Amino acid sequence: MAQESFRAGTGVVAAPHALAVEAGRAVLEEGGNAIEAALAAAMTIPVVYPHMTHMGGDGFWLIREPSGRVHYIEACGYAGARATRQRYLDAGYDTIPTRGPLAALTVPGQVAGWALAMEAAKAFGGRLPASRMLEPAIHHARNGAPVSRSQQQLTTDKLAELKDVPGFAETFLNDGKAPEAGTIQRFPRLAETLEQLARAGLDDYYRGDVGREIAADLERLDSPVTRADLEAYRAVKREPLVVKLSDMRVWSSPPPTQGLATLMILGIFDKLGVNHAESFGHIHGLIEAIKRAFLVRDKVVTDHDRLKHDPMAFLAPEALEREASRIDMRRALPWPQPARRGDTIWLGAADKSGLAVSYIQSIFWEFGSGVVLPSTGILMQNRGSSFSLDPAAANPLEPGRRPFHTLNPCMAELKDGRVVAFGCMGGEGQPQTNAAVLTRYARFGVPLGEAIERPRWVLGRTWGSDVVSLRLEPRFDSALVDDLARVGHDVEVLNEPFSDTMGHAGAVVIHPRGGVEGAHDPRADGGAAGL
């Protein structure tokens, strides 16, 4: 039986862990709005899903107000003052390490993003303080939450590269081994940090007692991030990217994220005239659009303040037509190109007032850098490992520079008035899954839960894997798989019918005649709930 979505009249929240969903639902029940519900879920999930996101990561918000205007919050940190190319070369590195203190080289931005989202919540009638939104996170950190299947598996898979990283074993292992799924895991130091933020405010993370402890631990560990870096950091508001298709408008995040790629994929596919879901034209057409978009992305996307091209120029109708004309519907473009990993969570919320939230936060790889700061219990991201030590690269390492981000929350407004907030985790797979889910639901009329559940593919390397072929779940029709191979795709059919390799997708919908709807991925550990 196909997965069904959750329908409600007042509000809905969708997230990849059930305890985060419940945190958001409880806020809705208390009269909180969609932004407040999303905040409660976002603050809870680092405690209950720590391998995917934590307090030392980044975040990106799309918020659609009842008037229809879409706002964007960029909460990604920049490289620390001591993160110089020469420092890494002198230490014997030709690439930036992916684990350990030298991988923890960017300021975590997501807590500053929470603060801006709190301001947005209040602007639309929100009344709840940050301390209320932090309550579930504090409770689970203090009293414990069960280890998920996903956390157990990824801890086991990555144990060799993480077990000796400072703070990791003491925080996440039991006698040097991965904890079994269902084991209750507590984080008392993190609970104290969350309690301090509840008392002193979120700004304390950067410019207060918590910030001082973070900086002191990073200095002891020889991370390139300094206290001055933390004190200077602010999340920023920017204009989102938007593309107009034949039957909808779609928004996503600007550089340094790959939101441009998601919108280009949808815009190019819109020009191909495909009429049926799961047909060869649908799957092959999207895969070829993905390739065209990724080629542009890898040349263009960098720190927003250092862009050399206007991203919106690549979303103009003539630019999309030009890219679509280069697609051969009878032959696959040779691949691979270089690809990117990433570990993330997406969550969304919507309410009957017309507020909708699409939000992503991340520590990049599973467990990020692996470094857990002893004074605060914060797990630091390794997003800065995506920088290059080649000064001529598109994203070279420089102090104060923001790294490339695979993250890209999305929002769509359909011709019939439906509003869809959607997104996915999964590194290189994020734009691919975003395009698959939205085309199924919005263009071909597949029910929301089924659009997320249906079999998916991923082209190139993604989170937890360095494979670069076109991987498909085995639930695709075998004739379609044969046709894809026949036109030149390097096809690999996976064994798992619902594979984590495909990432975890979700969506919430506001219906124009009343009611909201939400669904999250059966490949994850969450769902959707509301009132």
Side-chain angles (χ1 to χ4, degrees):
M1 178 180 291
Q3 173 179 267
E4 294 185 0
S5 60
F6 181 91
R7 290 179 176 267
T10 300
V12 67
V13 60
H17 195 284
L19 292 176
V21 174
E22 174 54 26
R25 189 208 64 79
V27 163
L28 290 172
E29 188 173 44
E30 291 178 30
N33 63 31
I35 304 173
E36 292 172 315
L39 278 161
M43 293 173 177
T44 300
I45 206 158
V47 179
V48 300
Y49 226 39
H51 56 305
M52 294 291 188
T53 181
H54 213 273
M55 296 287 291
D58 289 336
F60 301 87
W61 295 80
L62 284 179
I63 299 172
R64 189 251 191 200
E65 64 178 69
S67 71
R69 184 180 176 189
V70 177
H71 302 264
Y72 170 63
I73 296 171
E74 173 191 284
C76 63
Y78 40 66
R82 298 192 297 148
T84 63
R85 175 173 172 270
Q86 198 59 47
R87 177 178 185 176
Y88 286 84
L89 294 176
D90 289 347
Y93 294 103
D94 53 11
T95 60
I96 296 171
T98 55
R99 306 291 194 186
L102 288 179
L105 64 99
T106 58
V107 175
Q110 78 184 35
V111 175
W114 292 352
L116 282 186
M118 284 291 302
E119 293 178 10
K122 287 180 171 57
F124 296 105
R127 301 182 306 276
L128 300 176
S131 58
R132 167 61 188 88
M133 262 77 85
L134 283 164
E135 283 178 8
I138 294 168
H139 172 81
H140 295 308
R142 180 71 67 193
N143 298 298
V147 171
S148 65
R149 171 199 58 82
S150 174
Q151 182 181 341
Q152 178 199 11
Q153 186 61 57
L154 284 169
T155 306
T156 302
D157 292 346
K158 306 300 176 182
L159 186 61
E161 63 193 76
L162 286 167
K163 61 183 176 64
D164 296 323
V165 176
F168 184 84
E170 302 94 307
T171 307
F172 295 115
L173 302 183
N174 287 348
D175 297 323
K177 299 177 182 178
E180 293 294 322
T183 302
I184 300 300
Q185 201 163 53
R186 297 173 177 84
F187 305 110
R189 189 70 68 180
L190 182 61
E192 292 172 4
T193 298
L194 294 167
E195 288 166 347
Q196 170 64 16
L197 294 177
R199 287 190 300 268
L202 298 176
D203 192 67
D204 198 75
Y205 186 100
Y206 300 95
R207 286 164 283 277
D209 292 342
V210 172
R212 184 184 65 251
E213 295 293 342
I214 291 172
D217 280 344
L218 289 173
E219 183 174 2
R220 280 191 290 270
L221 291 167
D222 202 29
S223 162
V225 176
T226 68
R227 186 172 186 193
D229 294 324
L230 289 164
E231 290 176 337
Y233 182 75
R234 299 289 192 284
V236 297
K237 300 176 184 178
R238 302 192 192 278
E239 287 298 312
L241 299 181
V242 60
V243 65
K244 187 175 182 180
L245 309 182
S246 59
D247 51 358
M248 70 187 92
R249 285 191 300 166
V250 189
W251 291 263
S252 193
S253 48
T257 82
Q258 63 174 340
L260 175 62
T262 289
L263 299 188
M264 283 190 69
I265 294 163
L266 292 166
I268 294 167
F269 182 77
D270 190 52
K271 308 294 184 184
L272 298 181
V274 177
N275 297 315
H276 300 290
E278 318 313 322
S279 64
F280 172 80
H282 182 203
I283 308 305
H284 174 74
L286 279 178
I287 292 168
E288 294 305 294
I290 288 161
K291 294 174 182 177
R292 304 305 317 174
F294 282 3
L295 290 171
V296 172
R297 176 202 66 183
D298 292 344
K299 294 176 182 176
V300 170
V301 174
T302 188
D303 184 339
H304 193 278
D305 294 337
R306 292 168 168 84
L307 287 170
K308 296 179 181 179
H309 306 276
D310 178 5
M312 285 298 295
F314 298 95
L315 300 173
E318 60 273 17
L320 297 171
E321 287 279 10
R322 183 170 59 249
E323 294 294 342
S325 70
R326 293 170 176 164
I327 290 177
D328 186 343
M329 293 302 285
R330 297 167 297 178
R331 197 71 198 160
L333 180 72
W335 208 252
Q337 297 291 324
R340 308 164 193 266
R341 291 173 61 174
D343 239 15
T344 307
I345 65 93
W346 177 91
L347 60 87
D351 64 38
K352 65 180 181 181
S353 77
L355 271 177
V357 176
S358 180
Y359 176 59
I360 287 187
Q361 66 185 31
S362 172
I363 48 175
F364 198 26
W365 288 20
E366 54 286 307
F367 292 108
S369 67
V371 173
V372 181
L373 304 182
S375 300
T376 60
I378 291 172
L379 173 64
M380 291 292 290
Q381 65 184 350
N382 64 337
R383 182 64 60 176
S385 64
S386 66
F387 282 123
S388 174
L389 295 179
D390 178 358
N395 288 281
L397 177 63
E398 298 171 3
R401 189 178 190 120
R402 299 175 184 87
F404 173 88
H405 273 267
T406 52
L407 315 185
N408 59 124
C410 299
M411 189 87 65
E413 183 177 326
L414 312 189
K415 271 189 173 180
D416 63 8
R418 280 176 291 168
V419 174
V420 187
F422 64 103
C424 177
M425 60 75 74
E428 192 85 343
Q430 286 184 43
Q432 306 183 48
T433 292
N434 287 339
V437 170
L438 189 65
T439 54
R440 284 167 171 166
Y441 174 72
R443 173 148 300 174
F444 300 128
V446 178
L448 184 65
E450 185 180 343
I452 294 169
E453 178 197 51
R454 280 192 181 186
R456 295 208 295 264
W457 73 89
V458 64
L459 175 70
R461 189 178 78 173
T462 189
W463 75 289
S465 173
D466 292 320
V467 177
V468 295
S469 59
L470 174 64
R471 283 161 291 168
L472 298 96
E473 289 179 325
R475 294 176 292 132
F476 279 106
D477 184 271
S478 60
L480 170 62
V481 176
D482 291 343
D483 286 342
L484 291 170
R486 177 177 51 78
V487 300
H489 293 287
D490 181 13
V491 173
E492 176 189 353
V493 179
L494 302 180
N495 293 323
E496 300 170 281
F498 294 90
S499 174
D500 278 337
T501 301
M502 303 302 153
H504 302 156
V508 295
V509 179
I510 300 173
H511 291 278
R513 295 183 180 179
V516 291
E517 181 181 6
H520 208 281
D521 212 313
R523 299 164 184 82
D525 299 280
L531 302 171

